[in-house]
Amino acid sequence: MKPIVHLVDDDESYVRSLARLLEAAGFTTRTYTSAAAFLARPGADGAGCVVTDLQMPDVSGIDLQGRVAASANPLPVLFVTGRGDIPTSVRAMRGGAEDFLTKRAPMEEVLAAVTRALERDAREREQRARQAAVRRRFGVLSQRELDVLGGVVRGMLNKQIAADLGIAERTVKFHRTALTRKLGVSSVAEITLLAREAGLTSVDCAGTEMTRGPAAADSPGLPAE
Amino acid sequence: MTNAGQTQSFAGGTPARGAWAAGLLGAAATLLGRVAGCLRPTSCRASGADRLTADLAGVLEHLPVPLGVTAIGPHQGWMHPDARVLFTNRRFTELFGYDADDIPTVRDWAERAYPDEAYRLEMLNWWDSQLQRLEQTGETASQESRITTRSGTVLDVVITALTLDGRLVVAFRDVSRENQTRMAMQQSERQLQEIIDAAPMPLSYRLSGGTRIRVNAAFTAFCGYSAADVPTIEDWFQRAYPDPEYRRHVLAVWEPLVERARETGGRVAPRLYRVTCKDGAVRDVEISGTLAGDTIIVQLVDLTERIRAEQVVREQREQLAHVQRAALLGELAAALAHELNQPLGAIQRNAEAAGLLLDRSPVDLAALRDIVTDIHRDDLRAGAVLDRIRNLLRRGPLSLEAMPVAALIADVIPLVHPAMATAGVPLVVSQESGLPPILADRVLAQQLLLNLLVNASEAVVLRGTGSVSLLVERAADDAVRISVSDTGGGVPRGMETRILEPFVSTKPDGMGMGLPIVATIVEEHAGSLRIDNEPGRGITMHVTLPAAGAALAVAGAT
C-alpha cells in the first residue's frame, strides 16, 4: 500500500493548500483538523508520516508527536508552524521531531522533508519487521540458553560464563551447542550479529521480554551438575 | 416737564426746568387777566404808586412758587430808580430769608443776593438783556443763578420772569438739591472711571447715553486698541473680529448673554472669543461683563497661553496613547505574525501547487479554479489582520462616533485571541442583546478593551493558571458596562488604586502604562471605572460608558 502523508492543522485553509501541493507532487495525503481526528483514523498501522502544526487547541503538536512515538505505529512526525522562533524549534526537535519547518518554507524544502520522512518510515518498518522475526527465532531458546548467549555476546569464555552463572563449564558447552543448533548458526560472530539484529542486549537475554514459544525448553541430555 | 431720573451729565439749566415755572405763571396770568380790571387796590406791602391789587397779591401769595414782583417793565433796566421790588411772597421769604422790606429796590436785591461784584454784574447784565426779550415775547429765558440767602447760604436757583400788567413777575426754583445729586452722581461716575482706568485688567465700558466707549490703559496694553481706535462699540466689533462671519457668530453669542444679564441682574457670562489685536495677532480671550447702572463694564482675560498649554497637553496625551498602542501591538505582534503566516502560508502552498499542476497535461482547470478561489479568500484574511493593526496604530484627535459594542468586540478579539491562545489563557465572551451603541472614539475604545484583556491575560499567565471573561451588559437606561474579569490572583488589599498609577507594574518587564491609559480613556469618554479586587482570586475591571443618545443629549445642553 502506498504510504500516506497525514496532515494535521486546525487551519482548514492551510491544511487544504498543503494537501494540494503534496498531491500535485505525487504524494497521497489525508487531512485532519485536529490531533484527535488523526489519532482516531482508520487503518492506523499503515505506512506514512505525519505533518502537524505546533499550535492547536486541545492536543498540541508536541503532545501529538509524543503519542505517535509511543504508539504501535510510530510514524515520523514533522512540524510545520507559523511560529518561526528558535526556542520553539529547539523544543520541537528535542521532543523527537523528525524535522521542523515553517509554514513559509519554500516548496522544495517541504517536499524534500516529506520524502526523507517517508524513506525513514520505510527503513524503520523494515527494521522492525526484521527485529520481530529475529525475536521470534530467539523465542525458541530456554532461559539457561539465553543466559549463556548473553555471555557469549559479551565475549566471555565458557569458563567465565560458567562462573558467572554458577554452573559447570561443560554445562555451558552443552547449552552453547544447543543454542547454535536451534538458531541455525555456526560461529560466535553470527550469534553476535543475530543478537544485535534482534536488538537484544545482555539484559534482554536475562529478561522476560522475549516471546518464547513451546520449543523454549532446555535441550534434552542436559549433563548433571 | 423735567425728568427727575435723568442722569445726563450736562451743567446748566435746560429749557425743561424753567418751563414748569413758566407754565404755572402763565396759568396764573391768564386767571388774573380776567379779574384784573374788576378789582381795586387794597393794602400792600409795597409803597408808592405801584402796588399790587390785593387779589393779585393773594393769588401770588398762594402760588407754590417763590415769587417776587418788581416795577421794572420792559423799558427800565435794573439801574432805573423805579426799579422797585413791589412784592415778595411767603415762599420767597422762606427760601431766601428776604422780604420786601429788606430789598426795596432791585439793586438792593442784587447786592444781597450776589455779594460778589463781578458775579452780580454778570447776573444784572443778563437781566437787562432779558428785559429786551421780554418786550418781544413777553417772557425771559431761564437762567441758573447762585443766590446768597440772608443767612449766608448759597443756593442754586433757576430764575424765570414774565410780564403781568406792566409789572415783572419773577419766579425762582431751588435746584440746589438737584444739583447736589447730579454733582454727586457725576462725582461717583468720575470715581468709577478713575477706578476702571487704573485697574490692572483690561476693561472697557460704554459711556452713558450713547455708543461711545472708554477703555482703560490695561485694555490698550493688551490688545493695542486705544479709545481713539475703537470710539464706539461698533468700532470694537469691526476691528476685533474682522471676519464678517465670525463677527456675526460673536454677536449671536454676546447679545443674548447681555439680555440674560439684564433680566437676571447678574454677569454677562464669560465666553471664549478669538480677538484680533491691533497688530494683527489673534488671541484667545475670555470676555465677560458686569452691569453697572445702564452701562456694562466689559472685562477681557487673555487665555491664549492657557489654551495653548491645554492644546499641548492634549497632543502629548494623544502621543502617549499612541505609543502605548504601539507597545501593546508589539506585545501581541508575535501572535499576530503567526496569524498572518496562516493565510500567507496557504497562499504560498496554493501557488506552488498551481505551478506543479500547470506542468501536467491536460491541465486540471477545475483544480486551478479552486486554488484561485482559496488564494483570494486567504488574501482577504491576511488583509483583515493588517487592517486591524493599521487602524489601531492610527493617530489623530478624538473623533467620537456612535459605536455598537458588538463591533468593538469583533475588532478587538482577533487581535488579542492569538496571543491568549498561545499562552493557553481561555477567554469567555458574553454580550447582552439589544445594547445601545456607545459614543466613543473607535481607536481609543479598542485600546481600552485591548489593555484590559491583555492585563487580565498576563495576570493569569503570571499566576500559571486561570481564565479571563468579558461581559457586556446594560447599565441603567443610557449606559453600557464592559466588565473584564480574570482569576489571576488579584492584588494585595489596598493596592487597587495603585495599579492605576503610571509605571506601577506587577510584571517584570511591564511598562505599567496599560491601566493608567484605560483610566484616561474612560475619563475622556465621560465614563466611569470601578475595580473589584479579590486578593487570592482575581480582579474584575468594570468600565461604564454612556450610550450615544444620552451622551449627545448631555453635550447639547451645555
Side-chain angles (χ1 to χ4, degrees):
Chain A
M1 228 187 88
K2 219 185 157 184
I4 299 176
V5 182
H6 303 274
L7 307 174
V8 188
D9 194 326
D10 61 317
D11 188 309
E12 262 192 66
S13 184
Y14 187 80
V15 83
R16 188 166 56 240
S17 70
L18 184 55
R20 267 202 198 108
L21 172 62
L22 292 172
E23 294 268 346
F27 297 99
T28 306
T29 66
R30 294 272 184 281
T31 63
Y32 315 84
T33 52
S34 73
F38 164 73
L39 291 167
R41 75 194 182 284
D45 52 2
C49 68
V50 183
V51 179
T52 178
D53 187 12
L54 255 187
Q55 207 92 52
M56 289 184 292
D58 301 327
V59 181
S60 73
I62 299 252
D63 291 339
L64 175 58
Q65 191 266 329
R67 289 202 211 182
V68 169
S71 74
N73 186 13
L75 298 174
V77 175
L78 297 106
F79 287 115
V80 168
T81 180
R83 297 182 131 259
D85 58 302
I86 293 174
T88 309
S89 61
V90 167
R91 208 173 64 221
M93 295 308 288
R94 281 218 185 111
E98 165 69 23
D99 214 332
F100 182 90
L101 297 166
T102 64
K103 286 194 173 172
R104 305 282 267 135
M107 168 174 88
E108 296 74 19
E109 268 183 47
V110 174
L111 297 178
V114 169
T115 305
R116 274 196 310 270
L118 291 180
E119 283 171 356
R120 176 172 149 184
D121 180 62
R123 268 197 321 271
E124 286 180 352
R125 295 195 99 76
E126 203 204 299
Q127 189 173 49
R128 282 198 295 275
R130 225 176 26 244
Q131 280 177 355
V134 171
R135 276 173 198 252
R136 271 198 301 278
R137 235 162 127 183
F138 277 91
V140 303
L141 301 179
S142 71
Q143 185 54 56
R144 260 294 178 250
E145 285 160 352
L146 273 174
D147 294 338
V148 168
L149 174 62
V152 169
V153 160
R154 265 184 295 176
M156 292 162 73
L157 298 170
N158 289 348
K159 190 195 301 204
Q160 289 167 318
I161 296 172
D164 190 45
L165 295 177
I167 53 177
E169 195 177 333
R170 66 190 161 103
T171 313
V172 171
K173 280 193 199 154
F174 180 83
H175 283 311
R176 250 185 104 142
T177 312
L179 72 88
T180 42
R181 182 179 37 82
K182 279 186 182 176
L183 292 178
V185 295
S186 41
S187 67
V188 173
E190 276 182 86
I191 295 175
T192 312
L193 211 62
L194 263 183
R196 219 177 276 145
E197 260 193 36
L200 287 178
T201 62
S202 47
V203 173
D204 288 332
C205 292
T208 52
E209 291 184 23
M210 304 276 294
T211 37
R212 310 234 285 282
D218 282 339
S219 295
L222 193 67
E225 288 295 313
Chain B
M1 302 306 253
T2 55
N3 182 353
Q6 193 83 358
T7 54
Q8 304 293 339
S9 52
F10 296 110
T14 62
R17 297 231 206 123
W20 178 82
L24 204 56
L25 277 182
T30 315
L31 174 68
L32 290 169
R34 284 204 230 116
V35 302
C38 318
L39 301 168
R40 293 178 338 131
T42 59
S43 64
C44 177
R45 270 180 266 147
S47 56
D50 286 56
R51 65 177 106 127
L52 265 54
T53 62
D55 295 305
L56 177 59
V59 169
L60 294 180
E61 190 62 44
H62 286 101
L63 284 178
V65 177
L67 295 168
V69 181
T70 71
I72 300 177
H75 321 287
Q76 294 152 326
W78 66 276
M79 287 286 281
H80 196 281
D82 282 340
R84 282 178 292 120
V85 175
L86 299 175
F87 171 77
T88 59
N89 70 358
R90 185 167 40 87
R91 299 223 177 211
F92 180 98
T93 310
E94 276 168 8
L95 182 60
F96 297 118
Y98 308 119
D99 61 25
D101 294 328
D102 295 320
I103 44 168
T105 69
V106 172
R107 189 197 202 120
D108 295 317
W109 154 253
E111 281 172 355
R112 298 195 74 166
Y114 309 116
D116 178 77
E117 210 173 309
Y119 189 58
R120 191 189 317 141
L121 208 59
E122 196 189 314
M123 284 290 109
L124 292 172
N125 283 339
W126 174 81
W127 185 243
D128 275 350
S129 69
Q130 290 302 302
L131 294 181
Q132 287 167 24
R133 199 183 137 162
L134 266 178
E135 196 168 349
Q136 289 148 22
T137 65
E139 63 182 36
T140 66
S142 301
Q143 172 63 36
E144 194 161 320
S145 180
R146 311 205 82 212
I147 291 179
T148 308
T149 65
R150 188 181 210 179
S151 59
T153 327
V154 178
L155 298 175
D156 288 323
V157 160
V158 172
I159 308 174
T160 330
L162 52 78
T163 51
L164 186 64
D165 254 3
R167 302 184 187 97
L168 209 59
V169 180
V170 187
F172 300 86
R173 182 166 146 76
D174 179 8
V175 294
S176 309
R177 182 117 40 99
E178 244 175 79
N179 281 2
Q180 268 164 24
T181 310
R182 192 167 29 92
M183 274 169 50
M185 280 202 62
Q186 281 176 338
Q187 169 101 337
S188 68
E189 192 169 307
R190 254 196 311 277
Q191 277 172 348
L192 180 64
Q193 285 182 6
E194 277 166 25
I195 292 171
I196 289 175
D197 288 343
M201 65 282 260
L203 297 173
S204 80
Y205 60 101
R206 186 172 56 82
L207 294 172
S208 332
T211 55
R212 295 186 66 78
I213 61 175
R214 250 179 107 99
V215 302
N216 67 358
F219 185 101
T220 307
F222 166 59
C223 61
Y225 297 120
S226 64
D229 295 319
V230 288
T232 70
I233 299 175
E234 288 316 308
D235 294 308
W236 161 256
F237 278 117
Q238 290 282 330
R239 297 199 67 168
Y241 313 109
D243 174 52
E245 205 177 301
Y246 185 62
R247 192 186 316 138
R248 261 199 297 280
H249 165 75
V250 166
L251 286 166
V253 172
W254 175 254
E255 283 168 354
L257 290 175
V258 171
E259 268 314 301
R260 206 187 300 174
R262 287 222 174 91
E263 285 162 23
T264 62
R267 280 183 81 194
V268 179
R271 289 285 182 273
L272 211 58
Y273 306 93
R274 310 214 75 214
V275 169
T276 305
C277 300
K278 186 168 181 177
D279 64 358
V282 178
R283 302 188 79 78
D284 292 305
V285 182
E286 184 185 80
I287 303 185
S288 60
T290 312
L291 295 181
D294 71 338
T295 190
I296 304 171
I297 301 174
V298 176
Q299 177 174 356
L300 276 57
V301 179
D302 184 9
L303 291 188
T304 310
E305 289 316 312
R306 195 176 90 188
I307 302 268
R308 203 167 290 154
E310 281 172 7
Q311 176 70 11
V312 168
V313 166
R314 242 198 316 277
E315 279 168 9
Q316 285 179 339
R317 245 192 201 182
E318 199 282 316
Q319 270 174 13
L320 181 63
H322 180 254
V323 165
Q324 204 268 338
R325 277 201 297 282
L328 206 53
L329 274 178
E331 285 179 39
L332 303 172
L336 287 174
H338 179 242
E339 276 291 283
L340 277 175
N341 276 335
Q342 306 275 58
L344 288 180
I347 289 173
Q348 181 182 346
R349 298 291 169 236
N350 273 318
E352 288 163 345
L356 291 178
L357 288 177
L358 283 169
D359 285 338
R360 295 198 187 155
S361 63
V363 170
D364 187 346
L365 286 176
L368 284 173
R369 203 162 289 131
D370 285 341
I371 285 176
V372 167
T373 305
D374 275 0
I375 287 179
H376 231 307
R377 198 184 14 226
D378 281 319
D379 172 63
L380 290 175
R381 225 184 358 146
V385 176
L386 288 172
D387 280 342
R388 280 193 197 100
I389 292 174
R390 197 188 21 220
N391 282 337
L392 200 61
L393 286 175
R394 174 176 73 75
R395 288 198 62 176
L398 201 70
S399 109
L400 299 173
E401 58 182 84
M403 189 180 176
V405 185
L408 171 63
I409 293 180
D411 282 338
V412 169
I413 297 293
L415 283 169
V416 76
H417 185 256
M420 287 181 78
T422 304
V425 179
L427 172 65
V428 176
V429 179
S430 54
Q431 307 180 48
E432 237 178 58
S433 59
L435 289 170
I438 53 173
L439 187 69
D441 175 284
R442 201 180 182 102
V443 170
L444 290 179
Q446 287 179 24
Q447 183 170 8
L448 180 149
L449 187 53
L450 209 52
N451 268 301
L452 290 177
L453 290 171
V454 166
N455 257 298
S457 185
E458 285 171 343
V460 167
V461 167
L462 262 180
R463 196 182 199 198
T465 179
S467 64
V468 174
S469 75
L470 167 61
L471 170 65
V472 187
E473 53 191 352
R474 209 177 196 124
D477 256 348
D478 51 2
V480 171
R481 181 170 49 241
I482 298 171
S483 306
V484 175
S485 310
D486 66 67
T487 52
V491 294
R493 181 76 55 199
M495 257 202 78
E496 294 88 358
T497 43
R498 284 221 70 209
I499 57 178
L500 288 181
E501 286 169 31
F503 313 120
V504 170
S505 173
T506 50
K507 299 189 289 292
D509 57 350
M511 214 170 57
M513 284 310 297
L515 290 185
I517 292 268
V518 165
T520 303
I521 296 175
V522 167
E523 184 197 313
E524 282 175 344
H525 287 74
S528 65
L529 173 65
R530 197 182 86 229
I531 304 175
D532 274 347
N533 173 35
E534 258 182 276
R537 194 167 178 275
I539 287 187
T540 302
M541 306 286 290
H542 299 283
V543 168
T544 306
L545 295 172
L552 288 170
V554 166
T558 51

